[in-house]
Amino acid sequence: MADDKKHAEIDAALVRQLAEILNETDLTEVEVERGELRIRVAREVTVNAAPVQYAAAPAPVAAAPAAAAAPAAMPSDPATIIARAGEEVKSPMVGTAYLQASPEAPAFVQPGDEVKKGQTLLIVEAMKTMNPIQAPRDGVVAEILVGDAQPVEFGEPLVLLEA
């Protein structure tokens, strides 16, 4: 029993240290393993959490997605802002974007391709899980905004869809 209490105290201190590391380094996850003890501390990045963390961003984005999001991405390049008129399909998580299912496979989509709602546009790998990013509606792929095997952030534009 005393041994269990000692481990609980060590766990709490270790968790606090790991949480401090997350805050200091802006990591989204850290994991430590000592023998049979394994502790993972992660920040939860979800769509529901975004309004709490970024209260000012959702209103302008919902009102005018292209006008609000494009200038934030590249404010000094007006040609890029004009070229990005359309709906941005954004990453729902932090991970690595892959444009095809495997290195030998063809890309899921190319600029100019017509896509149907629910069609896979690319994959974002996060924590060894492949997450298909699907078209939110029918449309035409105007531009692919990320490269293959490129790290992506939560909310980062991945693909631009036109009507």
Side-chain angles (χ1 to χ4, degrees):
M1 187 90 163
D3 221 13
D4 289 339
K5 186 175 181 182
K6 183 178 178 185
H7 284 296
E9 290 173 18
I10 292 171
D11 294 349
L14 185 54
V15 170
R16 284 188 188 97
Q17 289 175 342
L18 295 174
E20 287 177 21
I21 291 170
L22 282 180
N23 289 332
E24 291 170 1
T25 61
D26 287 332
L27 292 172
T28 56
E29 176 181 328
V30 65
E31 184 174 332
V32 173
E33 195 169 335
R34 291 183 183 165
E36 291 184 21
L37 175 66
R38 180 176 160 205
I39 298 175
R40 180 176 152 256
V41 178
R43 292 178 202 238
E44 186 173 324
V45 180
T46 63
V47 175
N48 294 337
V52 173
Q53 295 174 354
Y54 307 102
V61 171
M74 296 194 163
S76 63
D77 189 357
T80 303
I81 294 168
I82 293 167
R84 290 196 175 167
E87 179 181 353
E88 293 177 336
V89 178
K90 297 181 179 184
S91 180
M93 66 196 72
V94 174
T96 303
Y98 292 101
L99 304 180
Q100 65 263 359
S102 69
E104 306 81 33
F108 289 109
V109 293
Q110 297 287 335
D113 287 356
E114 289 186 25
V115 296
K116 297 289 182 191
K117 180 179 180 177
Q119 180 177 340
T120 299
L121 302 172
L122 52 88
I123 321 173
V124 173
E125 182 266 329
M127 296 189 294
K128 309 279 187 219
T129 302
M130 299 299 177
N131 302 283
I133 305 304
Q134 299 174 340
R137 61 173 175 80
D138 293 356
V140 175
V141 176
E143 187 177 356
I144 298 172
L145 305 172
V146 294
D148 190 45
Q150 175 182 325
V152 295
E153 295 294 324
F154 170 75
E156 180 176 341
L158 304 172
V159 175
L160 190 63
L161 282 184
E162 293 178 338

